[in-house]
Amino acid sequence: MFDKLKNAEIKFEEINQKLMDPDIISDNEQYKNLMKEYKTLSPLIEKYREYVKAQKSFDEAKELLDNGGLDKDFKEVVQEEYEESKEKMEHLTNEIRILLLPTDPNDEKNVIVEIRGGAGGEEAALFANSLFRMYSMYAESKGWKTEVLNLNATELGGIKEISFSIEGEGAYSRLKFESGVHRVQRVPETESSGRIHTSTVTVAVLPEAEEVEFEINPADLQIDTYRSGGAGGQHVNKTESAIRITHLPTGVVVECQDERSQYKNKDKAMKILRSRLYEAKMREHNEKIASERKSQVGTGDRSERIRTYNFPQGRLTDHRIGLTLYRLEENLNGNLDELIDALVTADQAAKLSAEE
């Protein structure tokens, strides 16, 4: 591990020198790529240098203690330095091991989130709207940009289905564990007897695929236009601006009617289609090569029940890691970092144990 770290430090210094070269600064693409590499290596090198410093203190303290002849007070100080340095080295070793884990190539990507009401009719649709609001507020707290790509609303303010993009640094790394079935338990406003209803909503988080990463053959597409409509006459158009794209080889269908412009709807629908096909290809690839996925925090399968939101008890439970939080209102207002941090940590622990 430490040979790898020494080599990484040499590479880091080489990149640092190159970033000061006027020829490289003037080459926008090369400079951008080097900056990305520099940024990726920075946390690792920072921890490695902290480790080297702690090891130096440890070695010096150990030598003094081994040689003996220290007066009582000074010996106590040296002993304390020895213990602190030893503990710091152990802690830093764990942090470095996590930083050395293979990174998900999609982690820095923007995402497309798809939310669909499942079992529970209108109650599920209303909760789908609550989840959309939760993710929008979380994105806002991170300074990320949210854009609705397609929306199919209900008369009572619920959402049958919605597709939206979230653009921001590391969006996929933070949201990728949200894919799956979200279950809600609450008393609907229309329920006079006060009986708790259970409804479900499915969430899919797709890394946004660039055109250069995933090309689609135009001959594989069937594109239909139709007149868009919506709840309560919303977005109703006299022209056929809504778009339905069918990817013939896979049968994947994407619809988009949120914009009044046919061109914009087609552009948004292609964005969703590209990401769906990319995710399917990525999932197939992962299933072939990674048996260790079984030990990770869920498979990202949309049929997997991942979480329960219980309103009467004010609790949120993530079933994959057995975490229960009694701050449901805060969570639904976009305060998700504690939950996401726990999922990231559990995933890292699973990966570390798979490597041992």
Side-chain angles (χ1 to χ4, degrees), residues 183-200:
R183 185 174 72 166
V184 60
Q185 294 172 325
R186 64 181 172 187
V187 179
E189 285 178 23
T190 53
E191 176 60 66
S192 54
S193 65
R195 194 163 55 89
I196 294 169
H197 282 230
T198 298
S199 309
T200 60

Side-chain angles (χ1 to χ4, degrees), residues 34 45 57 62 96 99 123 160 176 251 293 323 328 345:
L34 282 169
I45 301 308
S57 298
K62 188 177 184 300
I96 288 165
L99 288 167
E123 181 61 14
K160 283 180 190 172
K176 62 183 173 182
R293 270 183 78 83
L323 175 69
L328 184 57
T345 302

Side-chain angles (χ1 to χ4, degrees), residues 214 216 220-221 245-254 273-274 276-278 280-281 284:
F214 196 88
I216 297 172
D220 289 341
L221 301 177
I245 302 178
T246 307
H247 185 248
L248 300 170
T250 59
V252 172
V253 179
V254 176
L273 179 66
R274 195 177 297 113
R276 276 201 209 165
L277 294 175
Y278 175 72
K281 185 181 173 186
E284 187 186 328

Side-chain angles (χ1 to χ4, degrees), residues 15-32 34-35:
I15 293 168
N16 201 14
Q17 289 302 312
K18 284 179 182 175
L19 286 169
M20 291 186 276
D21 184 331
D23 290 339
I24 285 169
I25 292 167
S26 62
D27 184 338
N28 194 35
E29 193 60 34
Q30 196 179 359
Y31 185 78
K32 196 169 124 188
L34 282 169
M35 269 308 291

Side-chain angles (χ1 to χ4, degrees), residues 127 131 180-186 197-202 305-311 315-317 319:
F127 190 61
L131 287 184
V181 175
H182 296 241
R183 185 174 72 166
V184 60
Q185 294 172 325
R186 64 181 172 187
H197 282 230
T198 298
S199 309
T200 60
V201 170
T202 59
R305 192 191 77 187
I306 63 165
R307 199 174 293 154
T308 295
Y309 305 75
N310 184 299
F311 277 74
R315 79 173 155 82
L316 178 152
T317 299
H319 304 292

